[in-house]
Structure formats: structure tokens, C-alpha cells
Amino acid sequence: MKSVLVANRGEIARRVFRTCREQGITTIAVHTDVDAAALHVREADVAVRVESYLDAEAVLAAAKEAGADAIHPGYGFLSENAGFARAVAEAGITWIGPTPEVIDAMGRKDKARDIAVGAGVPVVPSYGLDEDPEIFAYPVLAKAAAGGGGKGMRVVRSAAELPEAVAAARREALSAFGDDAMIIEKYVERGRHIEVQLVGDAATVHHFGTRECSAQRRHQKVIEEAPAPGLSDELRERIHTAAVRLGEAVGYTNAGTVEFLLDAETGDFYFLEMNTRLQVEHPVTEIVNGVDLVALQLQVASGGALDQLDHPGSHRSVEPVEIHAMEARVYAEDAYAGFLPQAGRATTVSWPAGARVDHALESGQVVSTSYDPMLGKVITKGADREQARRRLVAALDDTAILGLTTNTGFLRELAASDEFATPGGIDTAWLDRNELPAPDPAPAREIAARLWLDAHRDLAGPFAGDGFRMGGPAAATVVELDELTTPAAVVPPDVVSRVTDHEVELAHHGQRHVFTKPDASTDQAAAAGDGTVVSPMPGTVLDVRVAQGDPVQEGQVLGVVEAMKMELALKAPYDGVVTTVSATAGQQVALGATLFEVALRQAQEPEA
């Protein structure tokens, strides 16, 4: 294998290229026009333009044009597309992943469930869509049979909620995967998400221990760790065995992950799905086991065997616990405004020096809503879980992204929380039940005051504002900012900031803050009673449900906007009449674009 094309973008393309370079393998990137100047393109030895990362024919043509020996799919896009894997093999190019037959078998949750049952692996109790909903033991989970990543999933707590939940999940699944088939399963209220990393060759399926991914928001992982904490040796061994048994049942080769749901109350665990690709969270497994999973993928794809592997995991071993690793996913989203996707130019980007960071974001880069909002992954390790956690908090403190809002501050607050500090203390729905408070802006405001003062005062001469006074220490300097009078703080030496005449932007404990001088600010908020409804994120209008002149009630859905596979309903602010409809289905809209206007309904004159 002398050249590898990565049919992907961003941090995973860079990650695969890194191992290829270490092995002297030529790296080939594909890119769209949006990514023409992206990091993964600049780092590759060869780059080929394609119209879309999802265009299988174009990607395969690019591989042929560049003379690629092999294709690594990364994750997402075409990574679990059996048709693409089959076309790659038929073209005489090595596919770095499991066989198309295995992708077909395990890529759909319904088929994979049947295989798991046949292999003696426990599965979550389920219901048929044609069964009477009244017999369901609520709550249940309606989820897409195809795909993953939390897309096309809805928790349903009553028969009355079922039709709308299934319809919404179908729409989301069809948009994300092109397949709206659904399955209904028991929903475990206090479940932990435990998964096992597998790598198989032609003869043997090896496991590389467990990961825990229970810190999730709407079924999307937020912080992952390895190994899964707080499991008895006996339970850990049963989970390992079940994963390997499933891999053996399908003749699994290359890297893949078996995901389980552990009922924290009963101790039972159930098979959820198998991801027939490398996972986003693979770095924590690499750290704990001291292996390069991409190198093992290349080895298996080249026909090599894994029987001589020197690693802590094996066919039936119990993993070591003297090393622990954690990974936090940094997203372009506003965690304290409904996790809405964000877009814009990342004017300044500073990643922590004391952690492993897999990323593809640099200063000056434009972040769009064209692709997944993940910007990078911050990964730490420690001699035990607590040390790894503390190092993760410190690394997130040192992560600064200005120009657009990210979830870094939210990640920092979560990692520092008492609940996360407790091994097994967070279940998969904890973040959906609990709202983490936003970081206190007061410390950042004090730092901003000092930054603004230092940037604008006279720094020398008899009129310098240095607080000098006769017969005593220098007086504290007071700066008016955001309508507060605050003693100017000492600025930490590593603070990342941007200061203008009227504004200070900085990152503090990972959270981005923007402070504006009171005399320069203009109140952009709608006046009380204003019925303007704007787009809360850049995206696409999926549905418009009202017309001008329609009477509406408070909370009634006016339309639906979608960005990055997430739907958001826009609702009437109060009872009234629709006076303006600026939205049309299929329309691309910017953040803050006015889509609807609702006027208060005039009170009826009393009859004489």
C-alpha cells in the first residue's frame, strides 16, 4: 500500500494522513469548493476536487485519477455505504474497512438486532410498528433503522405522542440517511452507553476494551472516556465477550465498535448497534491501549494478521485501569441558547498545548453550516480517571475560539461538575433532564475592563492613568463597562482576546464573552410586544404553516427551520394575527433573518 485517499474532510482526514505519513504512504485528499483551502487539503500530498463528499462516483473517480492504492472512508459521509465499498473493491482499490456484506448486515439497526439475537447477545425489548400502541410499555424510543449519530430518534412517553414523534423521526431520518424506516424499542430511563472497540483480521476478532459515552445531548455524544468506569470485572468481561461474539458471528474484519446500553438500575446490558467504521472517540482507546488504530486498519486491509499484537486487550482479557483517557467534542453551537448551530469566521483559534487535539480549525477560517459542526476534539490522559478529568478541565480552560460561539465553556462546566466527577454518575439522558448553568460572566467582565483600559489609556507621561497617589499605594482603577463599575482585574498571561474602541471579546474558561461599552451599544432587542419571529440559526426553511392574515395562538408553530440535520420549530409569541410571512419552503436563511411577524389581536368592542 503506497497511497491512500481519504474520502472525508477535516480532523479525521488529518488524523488518517498522520499515520500514513509515518508509514511513508502518499496521502490523497478530496475536497469541495468550500474546502479548497482547508487544512486537510493543504497537508495532503495530492488533492482532487469533487462536487460533494457524498458523490460516490466522483470520489471513486478521484481515487482512480490520483492512482490511489486504497481508500479510507473516515466516519460519516460514505463510511458505512456498502455500495461504495463494493464499487471500490470492484475497481481494484483496497477498501480500508469491513466487507460490504458486513456493512450491509450491521448498518441497519433492525437487521443487526436479528443477528445479535442469533449470536446470543442480549437486545433491548422492541415492538412492531403495526402493533397496538396501547400495549407499549412507555416510555419507548422511536428510532431510525438506518444511520446513527442520534439522528431520527424520539423518546415517546404516551400513545398520544407516538404519531407525531414517529413522523418527526421519519422526516429527520429521511433527510439524514435517505431511509425513513423506524423501529420502536423500550426506553431505559437510567441507561449508560458502553461500547467496545473491535479490530478483526481474517482469523480473529480482538477487542480493545470499553469506552463510556453516557454524556450525551439528544443522543449525540459530548464527552467520552476509556475505560468505562465503575464496572465489576465480571460485568466488564461479559460485555467484552458479547462484543467479540457478535463480531465473530458476522466475520468482522478491520475496525468497528459494538454499542451497548447498560441499565444502571438492574445491571442488565443490551445491544444497541454496531458501527462498521472508526469512531470519533477512537483516540481514548488508542491512549489506554497504547496502539494506533489507523495503523491496525492499514495492516488488516493489507492482508496482515493481528495475532502477534502486544496490547492490554485480547480475545478474553480484562482491561487495565492504570491509564484513563477522556475526549471532549468542540462544536460550533451555542450551548446556552438551545445548542443552536453557529456559523462565521473563527478570527482567533488557540488549542491547548498540554493535550492531544485532533482538529481542522485555524485562525481566520470560515465555519459554515454545510457540514457537521464539530470543530475538534480535546483529549487528555491520566494515571486514573480523576487525573484525566482534571486535565480535561484545564485543557478546556486553555481552549479559546473567538469570532463565533462554541460549546467549549459548556464542556468545561460539565467536566468540572460533581455529577461528571462521580464515576457512572451521568446517564444518557442526564443532560436532557438537567440544565447546566451558564458560566458566571463577572470574572470575564473584570478581565475585559482591564484589557480595554490597558489598550486605551496613556501608558506613560504625567497624565498616565496608573493609580498613583501621594502617601499610599496605587489606587484601584475603575472602568465603566456593561453598565457596571468594576475594579479592573489582573489579566491572566494566557488570556486570548480582541479589543476595539467599543468592544472587548475574550475567552475565559473556554467560554466566549463579548462586552460592549454602554455608550457604544445600541439596543437591538425587539420592543416589548413586538411579534417579529427571526431565524435563530443559519439554515433552510423546511415548512411554512401559516399565511398572512391567519389567526394564531401563542405557541402555535409558524414554520420549521433546519440546519445540520436539526429541526427547530418557530412559534407564535402570543395570540394574534400573522401580518407578514417572509419565509418560503426551501429558502436559505441567515441567522436573525425575519421570517414572520405577528400582531396582537385587537380586543372586540363590547356590544351596546
Side-chain angles (χ1 to χ4, degrees), residues 216-277:
Q216 301 181 9
R217 183 193 62 80
R218 299 175 188 167
H219 310 291
Q220 295 188 24
K221 300 165 187 175
V222 176
I223 298 180
E224 301 101 344
E225 59 185 299
L231 305 183
S232 67
D233 288 348
E234 183 270 337
L235 176 58
R236 194 180 302 272
E237 177 67 12
R238 285 197 290 126
I239 293 174
H240 289 166
T241 300
V244 171
R245 184 183 297 141
L246 183 61
E248 291 173 338
V250 294
Y252 200 90
T253 55
N254 217 276
T257 295
V258 183
E259 299 190 348
F260 296 100
L261 183 66
L262 174 64
D263 190 325
E265 296 179 351
T266 66
D268 297 326
F269 68 93
Y270 308 104
F271 168 72
L272 284 177
E273 62 181 328
M274 186 172 195
N275 290 292
T276 53
R277 54 171 169 79

Side-chain angles (χ1 to χ4, degrees), residues 96-120:
I96 303 174
T99 65
E101 293 74 22
V102 169
I103 296 176
D104 260 337
M106 304 307 293
R108 288 184 58 92
K109 296 181 177 68
D110 46 3
K111 291 183 180 179
R113 176 189 176 89
D114 292 340
I115 294 171
V117 170

